[in-house]
Amino acid sequence: MRIEVTIAKTTALPAGALDALAGELSRRINESFPDQNGNVTVRYATANNLSVLGGAKDDKDRISEILQETWESADDWFITE
């Protein structure tokens, strides 16, 4: 399964946020889908989007929920120093 998250260029994020988001999202997805070797890519683009290639419709719905939970809990896992 391949997962691609694009974030609008107009969204201001701190340095290192894209890599941190990719890492945290990968960890959470691997917990929910241990038998899938999920490849998660996070990058800037013109609009926000989630693409799940090689997964079922239910998988995309669950990954969307995981993405939402991860984004909302950024204060817990993203540390800037």
Side-chain angles (χ1 to χ4, degrees):
M1 180 168 28
R2 187 173 151 220
I3 300 145
E4 182 173 284
V5 178
T6 58
I7 298 176
K9 292 178 188 177
T10 56
T11 305
L13 296 176
L18 291 182
D19 291 336
L21 178 59
E24 182 66 16
L25 192 55
S26 291
R27 185 186 69 75
R28 291 179 185 219
I29 288 171
N30 286 335
E31 286 178 1
S32 293
F33 299 94
D35 55 338
Q36 298 287 336
N37 188 10
N39 180 18
V40 178
T41 305
V42 179
R43 64 182 179 87
Y44 281 117
T46 56
N48 295 330
N49 190 37
L50 170 64
S51 297
V52 179
L53 304 170
K57 170 86 168 103
D58 293 341
D59 293 346
K60 183 174 182 178
D61 293 341
R62 177 62 187 132
I63 290 169
S64 180
E65 291 172 8
I66 293 169
L67 175 60
Q68 183 71 27
E69 292 166 3
T70 304
W71 187 263
E72 289 173 355
S73 68
D75 290 340
D76 297 335
W77 56 265
F78 183 66
I79 299 164
T80 57
E81 292 182 9

